[in-house]
């Protein structure tokens, strides 16, 4: 499997060390800390867009390395009885940089609303990377915004700023809301 590219050698080594330690009665190794590549290829899933602070799960993907999903993401869950492709991962203590998050905003369909959303995100020190606009029944518009966040609390602060805008009906973290049909909101 390692030779065919189905499994990563460092992960197999971690699993073997953990299995031997468990057989001897020694505590098993800690989950892999997500700080950078650490010799392995890491990719952050576009389906759920995890940011530091989110509970996460790694999934081994052929040709992509370890794909990091939010724990509640249906695409990151083990399929069937075989959970060999899942990797225990946690965020490192200090994670730097900005990560892309997705936010879904339902608001009144009025002039200047997109500008108000962009301003609220800029005031929260978040950068807008992409916006999709969906018209809902003429009176309500839905914005799907990809913005940057340093961590979960930074994203929560940005969402609170969006919720304070007049004419905003609902703000939620996406796209899990679409994947699972459930609302994923941060306080």
């Amino acid at each position: 499997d390692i030779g065919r590219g189905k499994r990563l050698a460092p992960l197999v080594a971690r699993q073997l060390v953990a299995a031997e330690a468990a057989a001897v009665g020694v505590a098993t190794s800690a989950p892999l800390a997500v700080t950078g590549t650490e010799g392995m290829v890491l990719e952050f899933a576009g389906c759920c867009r995890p940011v530091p602070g989110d509970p996460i799960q790694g999934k081994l993907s052929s040709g992509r390395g370890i794909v990091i999903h939010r724990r509640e993401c249906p695409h990151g869950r083990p399929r069937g009885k075989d959970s060999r492709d899942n990797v225990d991962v946690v965020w490192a203590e200090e994670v730097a940089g900005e990560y892309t998050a997705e936010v879904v905003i339902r608001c009144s369909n009025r002039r200047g609303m997109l500008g108000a959303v962009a301003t609220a995100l800029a005031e929260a020190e978040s950068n807008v990377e992409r916006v999709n606009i969906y018209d809902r029944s003429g009176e309500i518009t839905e914005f799907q915004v990809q913005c940057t966040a340093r961590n979960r609390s930074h994203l929560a602060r940005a969402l609170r700023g969006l919720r304070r805008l007049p004419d905003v009906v609902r703000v939620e973290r996406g796209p899990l809301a679409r994947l699972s049909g459930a609302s994923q909101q941060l306080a």
Side-chain angles (χ1 to χ4, degrees):
D1 281 352
I2 292 170
R4 288 188 214 117
K6 291 183 179 179
R7 311 224 30 89
L8 295 173
L11 282 181
V12 172
R14 277 179 84 86
Q15 291 171 342
L16 290 173
V17 168
E20 186 173 323
V24 176
V26 180
T28 59
S29 63
L32 178 66
V34 176
T35 56
T37 60
E38 298 173 1
M40 291 180 258
V41 178
L42 290 180
E43 182 179 321
F44 295 95
C47 55
C48 58
R49 301 201 181 275
V51 297
D54 284 337
I56 55 175
Q57 176 67 38
K59 187 151 185 92
L60 186 60
S61 177
S62 181
R64 293 173 63 192
I66 300 173
V67 181
I68 308 297
H69 291 270
R70 286 171 37 198
R71 193 166 298 275
E72 64 267 16
C73 178
H75 299 295
R77 293 190 185 126
R79 293 190 180 140
K81 296 179 182 178
D82 188 16
S83 63
R84 292 184 318 159
D85 293 342
N86 282 33
V87 181
D88 287 331
V89 291
V90 294
W91 293 103
E93 292 291 323
E94 296 292 323
V95 180
E98 292 191 334
Y99 295 79
T100 302
E102 189 169 302
V103 179
V104 178
I105 304 143
R106 294 193 73 204
C107 56
S108 297
N109 188 6
R110 71 165 175 84
R111 188 177 320 232
M113 215 42 220
L114 179 58
V117 165
T119 300
L121 288 170
E123 288 173 354
E125 299 176 359
S126 181
N127 193 31
V128 176
E129 293 186 345
R130 174 183 281 175
V131 177
N132 292 324
I133 302 171
Y134 303 97
D135 193 351
R136 298 278 185 151
S137 74
E139 294 178 16
I140 301 294
T141 297
E142 184 175 282
F143 297 129
Q144 183 180 2
V145 180
Q146 288 181 8
C147 60
T148 60
R150 291 183 296 273
N151 53 43
R152 189 175 169 95
S153 62
H154 179 221
L155 181 58
R157 189 175 54 229
L159 295 183
R160 280 193 300 273
L162 290 169
R163 287 187 184 112
R164 284 190 212 111
L165 292 174
D167 297 323
V168 167
V169 176
R170 182 182 205 145
V171 176
E172 60 188 349
R173 179 123 178 239
L176 278 183
R178 283 183 170 55
L179 292 174
S180 65
S183 173
Q184 302 295 324
Q185 294 189 6
L186 294 176

